[in-house]
Amino acid sequence: MTTAHHLRLIDGMRARAFPVERVRAGSGVSGPGYHVAHLHPEDAWDEGRDDDEADRLKHRAQCVADHEALVTLLGSRWGEPMLVSLFGARERMVSGEEIPEPWADVVAGCEFLRLWQVGERWIALALCLEEGGSGCELSVVVTETDPP
């Protein structure tokens, strides 16, 4: 996918009503008060695949480049994003606190996210990098639920 396609997807997510119950939506999921899309899904690199490490590293580099491009373009629309560490929310989750959707999945997989508040909705870009490996996932969240 191109950056232009990612921007159209994000704009569509912002304009779309939220469903009353959780449903799969393309490469993501939507539910009451949120939409999530995986722009570079981690499962594109399943463990059983025979892709070589060079291909995985190329995918990771593209994922990181797309993240940086989107941060720049969305920043030109809505201003500098907040850089939010998810460490505290992850610690609370491990301690048994329930983190609301759509944040629970993001908190479980990512260390930080870029966050904008536009009107009454939050828009987040989450870049999840596999520690010590070459995996990468880039997701966008549009929600009315305050971040954890």
Side-chain angles (χ1 to χ4, degrees):
M1 282 190 229
T2 66
T3 302
H5 177 81
H6 293 325
L7 288 173
R8 284 191 303 275
L9 178 68
I10 292 167
D11 288 340
M13 292 169 66
R14 289 184 54 231
R16 214 169 49 234
F18 299 119
V20 294
E21 57 187 50
R22 187 176 169 101
V23 295
R24 297 234 14 97
S27 65
V29 64
S30 291
Y34 66 89
H35 300 298
V36 178
H38 303 291
L39 307 179
H40 284 272
E42 180 63 34
D43 62 5
W45 297 102
D46 290 334
E47 292 294 323
R49 291 185 50 174
D50 292 331
D51 299 309
D52 68 17
E53 190 66 10
D55 286 342
R56 290 177 60 87
L57 290 172
K58 183 178 176 183
H59 175 262
R60 181 180 175 121
Q62 185 62 54
C63 185
V64 171
D66 286 351
H67 173 263
E68 294 307 315
L70 286 170
V71 167
T72 299
L73 291 168
L74 296 175
S76 70
R77 288 180 174 184
W78 304 316
E80 192 68 25
M82 292 175 264
L83 179 60
V84 178
S85 169
L86 299 174
F87 179 78
R90 184 175 300 119
E91 288 292 311
R92 294 192 329 262
M93 181 187 284
V94 168
S95 297
E97 182 179 328
E98 187 172 329
I99 303 295
E101 290 297 342
W103 301 113
D105 288 338
V106 176
V107 166
C110 296
E111 293 182 22
F112 70 92
L113 54 82
R114 306 290 176 129
L115 186 66
W116 293 266
Q117 187 170 21
V118 182
E120 294 189 15
R121 292 190 176 189
W122 294 96
I123 295 90
L125 281 179
L127 179 65
C128 305
L129 301 173
E130 179 184 18
E131 187 174 329
S134 56
C136 180
E137 180 174 276
L138 176 59
S139 301
V140 62
V141 175
V142 175
T143 184
E144 296 173 329
T145 305
D146 289 341

Coordinates of all heavy atoms in Angstrom, one line a residue, residues 12-23 29-36 102 120-123 141-145:
G12 N -11.2 7.6 5.8 CA -12.4 6.8 5.8 C -12.8 6.4 7.2 O -14.0 6.4 7.6
M13 N -11.8 6.0 8.0 CA -12.0 5.5 9.4 C -12.6 6.7 10.2 O -13.5 6.5 11.0 CB -10.7 5.0 10.0 CG -10.3 3.7 9.4 SD -8.6 3.2 9.9 CE -8.8 2.9 11.7
R14 N -12.1 7.9 10.0 CA -12.5 9.0 10.8 C -14.0 9.4 10.5 O -14.7 9.8 11.3 CB -11.6 10.2 10.5 CG -10.2 10.1 11.1 CD -9.4 11.4 10.9 NE -10.1 12.5 11.4 CZ -10.3 13.6 10.6 NH1 -9.9 13.7 9.4 NH2 -10.9 14.7 11.2
A15 N -14.4 9.2 9.2 CA -15.7 9.5 8.8 C -16.8 8.5 9.1 O -17.9 8.8 9.2 CB -15.7 9.8 7.3
R16 N -16.3 7.2 9.2 CA -17.3 6.1 9.4 C -17.8 6.1 10.8 O -17.1 6.3 11.8 CB -16.5 4.8 9.1 CG -17.3 3.8 8.4 CD -16.5 2.6 7.9 NE -15.6 2.1 8.8 CZ -14.3 1.9 8.5 NH1 -13.8 2.3 7.4 NH2 -13.5 1.3 9.4
A17 N -19.1 5.7 10.9 CA -19.7 5.5 12.2 C -19.2 4.2 12.8 O -18.7 3.3 12.1 CB -21.2 5.4 12.0
F18 N -19.2 4.2 14.1 CA -18.7 3.0 14.8 C -19.8 2.0 14.9 O -21.0 2.3 15.2 CB -18.3 3.4 16.3 CG -17.1 4.3 16.3 CD1 -17.2 5.6 16.9 CD2 -15.9 4.0 15.7 CE1 -16.2 6.5 16.9 CE2 -14.8 4.9 15.7 CZ -15.0 6.1 16.4
P19 N -19.5 0.7 14.8 CA -20.6 -0.3 14.9 C -21.0 -0.5 16.4 O -20.3 -0.1 17.3 CB -19.9 -1.6 14.3 CG -18.5 -1.4 14.6 CD -18.2 0.1 14.5
V20 N -22.1 -1.2 16.6 CA -22.6 -1.4 17.9 C -22.0 -2.6 18.6 O -22.0 -2.8 19.8 CB -24.2 -1.5 18.0 CG1 -24.8 -0.2 17.6 CG2 -24.7 -2.6 17.1
E21 N -21.4 -3.5 17.7 CA -20.7 -4.7 18.3 C -19.4 -4.9 17.5 O -19.3 -4.4 16.3 CB -21.5 -5.9 18.3 CG -22.1 -6.3 17.0 CD -23.1 -7.5 17.2 OE1 -24.0 -7.4 18.1 OE2 -23.0 -8.5 16.5
R22 N -18.5 -5.6 18.0 CA -17.2 -5.9 17.4 C -17.3 -6.7 16.1 O -18.0 -7.7 16.1 CB -16.3 -6.6 18.4 CG -14.9 -6.8 17.9 CD -14.0 -7.5 19.0 NE -12.8 -7.9 18.6 CZ -11.6 -7.3 18.8 NH1 -11.6 -6.1 19.5 NH2 -10.5 -7.7 18.3
V23 N -16.7 -6.2 15.0 CA -16.7 -6.9 13.7 C -15.4 -6.8 13.1 O -14.7 -5.8 13.3 CB -17.8 -6.3 12.8 CG1 -19.2 -6.5 13.3 CG2 -17.6 -4.8 12.5
V29 N -10.3 -4.4 12.8 CA -11.5 -4.6 13.5 C -12.1 -3.3 13.9 O -11.4 -2.3 14.1 CB -11.1 -5.5 14.8 CG1 -10.2 -4.8 15.7 CG2 -12.4 -6.0 15.4
S30 N -13.4 -3.3 14.0 CA -14.2 -2.2 14.5 C -15.1 -2.6 15.6 O -15.5 -3.8 15.7 CB -15.0 -1.6 13.4 OG -14.2 -0.9 12.4
G31 N -15.4 -1.7 16.5 CA -16.3 -2.1 17.6 C -16.9 -0.8 18.1 O -16.7 0.3 17.6
P32 N -17.7 -0.9 19.2 CA -18.3 0.3 19.8 C -17.3 1.3 20.2 O -16.4 1.1 21.1 CB -19.0 -0.3 21.1 CG -19.1 -1.7 20.8 CD -18.0 -2.1 20.0
G33 N -17.3 2.4 19.5 CA -16.4 3.5 19.8 C -15.0 3.5 19.1 O -14.1 4.3 19.5
Y34 N -14.7 2.5 18.2 CA -13.4 2.4 17.7 C -13.3 1.7 16.3 O -14.2 0.9 16.0 CB -12.4 1.8 18.6 CG -12.7 0.3 18.9 CD1 -12.1 -0.7 18.1 CD2 -13.5 -0.1 19.9 CE1 -12.4 -2.0 18.3 CE2 -13.8 -1.4 20.2 CZ -13.2 -2.4 19.4 OH -13.5 -3.7 19.6
H35 N -12.3 2.0 15.6 CA -11.8 1.3 14.4 C -10.3 1.1 14.5 O -9.6 2.0 14.9 CB -12.1 2.2 13.1 CG -13.5 2.5 12.8 ND1 -14.5 1.6 12.6 CD2 -14.0 3.8 12.7 CE1 -15.6 2.3 12.4 NE2 -15.4 3.6 12.5
V36 N -9.9 0.0 14.1 CA -8.4 -0.3 14.1 C -8.1 -1.0 12.7 O -8.8 -1.9 12.3 CB -8.0 -1.3 15.2 CG1 -6.5 -1.7 15.1 CG2 -8.4 -0.8 16.6
P102 N -10.1 0.1 22.2 CA -9.2 -0.7 21.4 C -7.8 -0.7 21.9 O -6.9 -1.2 21.4 CB -9.2 0.1 20.0 CG -9.3 1.5 20.4 CD -10.3 1.5 21.6
E120 N -13.6 15.1 18.8 CA -13.9 14.2 19.9 C -13.3 12.8 19.7 O -13.5 11.9 20.5 CB -15.4 14.1 20.1 CG -16.0 15.4 20.6 CD -17.5 15.2 21.0 OE1 -17.9 14.1 21.2 OE2 -18.1 16.3 21.1
R121 N -12.5 12.7 18.6 CA -11.9 11.4 18.3 C -10.3 11.5 18.5 O -9.7 12.5 18.3 CB -12.2 10.9 16.9 CG -13.7 10.6 16.8 CD -13.9 10.0 15.4 NE -15.4 9.6 15.4 CZ -15.9 8.8 14.4 NH1 -15.1 8.4 13.4 NH2 -17.2 8.5 14.5
W122 N -9.8 10.3 18.9 CA -8.4 10.1 19.0 C -7.9 9.4 17.8 O -8.5 8.4 17.4 CB -8.0 9.3 20.3 CG -8.3 10.0 21.5 CD1 -9.4 9.9 22.3 CD2 -7.5 11.0 22.2 NE1 -9.3 10.7 23.4 CE2 -8.1 11.4 23.4 CE3 -6.2 11.5 21.9 CZ2 -7.6 12.3 24.3 CZ3 -5.7 12.4 22.8 CH2 -6.4 12.8 24.0
I123 N -6.8 9.8 17.2 CA -6.2 9.1 16.1 C -4.8 8.7 16.6 O -4.0 9.6 17.0 CB -6.1 9.9 14.8 CG1 -7.5 10.2 14.3 CG2 -5.3 9.1 13.7 CD1 -8.1 11.4 14.8
V141 N -5.4 3.6 14.9 CA -6.6 3.5 15.7 C -7.3 4.8 15.6 O -6.7 5.9 15.7 CB -6.2 3.3 17.2 CG1 -7.4 3.3 18.1 CG2 -5.4 2.0 17.3
V142 N -8.6 4.7 15.4 CA -9.5 5.9 15.5 C -10.6 5.5 16.6 O -11.3 4.5 16.4 CB -10.2 6.2 14.1 CG1 -11.2 7.3 14.3 CG2 -9.1 6.5 13.1
T143 N -10.7 6.4 17.6 CA -11.6 6.0 18.7 C -12.1 7.2 19.4 O -11.5 8.3 19.4 CB -10.8 5.1 19.7 OG1 -11.7 4.7 20.7 CG2 -9.6 5.7 20.3
E144 N -13.2 7.0 20.1 CA -13.7 8.0 21.1 C -13.2 7.8 22.5 O -13.4 8.6 23.4 CB -15.2 8.0 21.0 CG -15.8 8.4 19.7 CD -17.3 8.2 19.7 OE1 -17.9 7.3 20.4 OE2 -18.0 8.9 18.9
T145 N -12.6 6.6 22.7 CA -12.2 6.2 24.0 C -10.8 6.8 24.4 O -9.9 6.7 23.6 CB -12.1 4.7 24.1 OG1 -13.3 4.1 23.7 CG2 -11.7 4.2 25.5

